[in-house]
């Protein structure tokens, strides 16, 4: 599979997975086959795809299996099996060869950025294992991507700098910080979501209570006075409750 085909494969797999989640049922085999027609998947690859799209990923992500050293394992899904196959194809350079690349990097060789980024993909994958449990296994692929981007940006900063540093340490820190920031964002988004749901529940209870007392639906001003939530924010919460009531 070429790089373009791999990108197409990942996009198609993601789209089909979203369809599966939305429908709540496994996708038909002919739909899957038609979607990947032209990519030339082997029988083994097709089997992995079927397995992935027919196995509830919530069950996989909910497992607490750990790798050696107490780190969480990365998801055992078709997508990651393909990913690990790709990793095996990356030629690993000797330590001396990497040192030459770092020297070329700070001298301004842009090709070194590309080669070193590729060399760091397996290293970032290993570093990600320490973050997977905090992020959740559903986020593993994006977590690794964030780590890779952190390394790439750090390499860009080093390009042509002329500064000799502990490159391995600096790049590992760049990957870790990028992944930690992503984990923090996930947690912040989750906390905001929970807060929003709590407020929506409060507004619903207040609306129900006041409707009984007033024998009519309360106005936004009355709800605001009762719940101590600003009217501007109430509009969004009321719209959310109205949207949910339609289902």
């Amino acid at each position: 599979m070429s790089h373009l085909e791999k990108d197409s494969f990942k996009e198609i797999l993601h789209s089909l997975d979203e369809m599966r989640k939305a429908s709540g049922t496994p996708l038909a085999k002919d739909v899957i086959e038609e979607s990947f027609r032209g990519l030339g998947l082997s029988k083994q690859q097709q089997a992995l795809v079927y397995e992935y799209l027919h196995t509830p990923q919530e069950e996989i992500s909910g497992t607490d299996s750990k790798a050696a050293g107490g780190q969480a394992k990365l998801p055992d899904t078709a997508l990651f099996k393909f990913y690990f196959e790709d990793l095996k194809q990356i030629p690993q350079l000797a330590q001396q060869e990497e040192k030459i690349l770092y020297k070329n990097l700070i001298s301004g060789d842009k090709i070194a950025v590309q080669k070193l980024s590729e060399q760091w993909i397996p290293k970032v994958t290993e570093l990600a294992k320490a973050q997977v449990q905090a992020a959740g296994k559903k986020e593993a692929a994006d977590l690794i991507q964030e780590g890779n981007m952190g390394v790439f940006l750090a390499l860009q900063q080093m390009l042509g700098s002329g500064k000799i540093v502990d490159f391995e340490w600096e790049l590992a820190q760049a990957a870790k910080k990028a992944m930690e920031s992503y984990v923090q964002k996930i947690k912040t988004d989750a906390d905001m979501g929970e807060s929003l749901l709590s407020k929506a529940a409060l507004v619903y209870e207040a609306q129900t209570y006041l409707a009984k007392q007033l024998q009519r639906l309360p106005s936004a001003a009355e709800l605001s006075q009762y719940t101590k939530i600003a009217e501007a924010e109430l509009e969004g919460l009321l719209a959310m409750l109205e949207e949910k009531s339609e289902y």
Side-chain angles (χ1 to χ4, degrees):
M1 232 188 270
S2 66
H3 285 296
L4 183 59
E5 287 175 329
K6 286 173 184 175
D7 290 339
S8 297
F9 167 79
K10 291 174 183 177
E11 288 177 9
I12 294 169
L13 186 63
H14 178 72
S15 297
L16 290 176
D17 193 31
E18 289 300 312
M19 287 173 59
R20 179 191 64 79
K21 290 176 183 176
S23 66
T25 57
L27 299 178
K29 188 174 181 180
D30 59 341
V31 172
I32 298 172
E33 288 178 345
E34 183 62 32
S35 298
F36 289 103
R37 193 179 301 279
L39 290 184
L41 299 184
S42 66
K43 289 184 178 180
Q44 183 182 10
Q45 289 171 330
Q46 289 177 17
L48 288 173
V49 169
Y50 297 147
E51 176 190 346
Y52 176 76
L53 293 172
H54 284 79
T55 303
Q57 301 305 300
E58 292 76 10
E59 293 179 8
I60 295 172
S61 61
T63 58
D64 295 322
S65 57
K66 298 286 187 70
Q71 294 182 333
K73 290 181 179 179
L74 294 173
D76 184 22
T77 63
L79 187 60
F80 269 90
K81 286 175 182 177
F82 277 106
Y83 179 75
F84 288 126
E85 285 300 316
D86 284 347
L87 290 187
K88 292 177 184 178
Q89 296 176 26
I90 297 175
Q92 293 301 297
L93 301 178
Q95 189 174 11
Q96 190 59 36
E97 291 176 303
E98 278 200 10
K99 285 183 179 180
I100 293 173
L101 279 178
Y102 287 129
K103 183 179 179 181
N104 294 343
L105 174 73
I106 62 175
S107 297
D109 183 2
K110 292 182 180 180
I111 296 177
V113 174
Q114 179 183 346
K115 290 184 177 180
L116 285 167
S117 292
E118 189 177 64
Q119 286 298 301
W120 267 85
I121 293 175
K123 298 177 185 180
V124 170
T125 302
E126 282 300 311
L127 291 171
K129 290 179 181 179
Q131 301 286 344
V132 167
Q133 193 169 8
K137 290 194 175 184
K138 290 181 181 178
E139 304 291 339
D142 288 336
L143 182 69
I144 291 172
Q145 186 59 38
E146 290 293 324
N148 289 333
M149 182 57 67
V151 168
F152 177 76
L153 293 175
L155 288 169
Q156 289 282 10
Q157 290 180 339
M158 294 175 181
L159 180 64
S161 67
K163 295 180 180 179
I164 298 176
V165 296
D166 187 338
F167 297 105
E168 291 287 316
W169 187 87
E170 292 286 346
L171 294 173
Q173 290 303 305
K176 288 177 182 178
K177 287 180 181 178
M179 290 189 286
E180 286 169 359
S181 294
Y182 182 68
V183 170
Q184 187 58 49
K185 179 182 180 300
I186 292 171
K187 290 182 177 179
T188 300
D189 290 347
D191 290 342
M192 288 179 64
E194 288 179 8
S195 176
L196 193 62
L197 288 174
S198 296
K199 285 185 178 181
L202 172 62
V203 171
Y204 176 77
E205 290 175 3
Q207 191 178 47
T208 303
Y209 172 77
L210 290 175
K212 288 181 180 178
Q213 297 295 314
L214 301 171
Q215 296 299 304
R216 60 173 171 79
L217 284 176
S219 66
E222 289 168 331
L223 276 172
S224 177
Q225 184 178 6
Y226 186 83
T227 62
K228 308 305 179 186
I229 299 174
E231 285 189 46
E233 187 177 358
L234 267 174
E235 290 179 6
L237 293 169
L238 288 170
M240 180 191 299
L241 290 172
E242 185 177 347
E243 186 177 316
K244 285 185 175 294
S245 67
E246 293 176 357
Y247 290 95

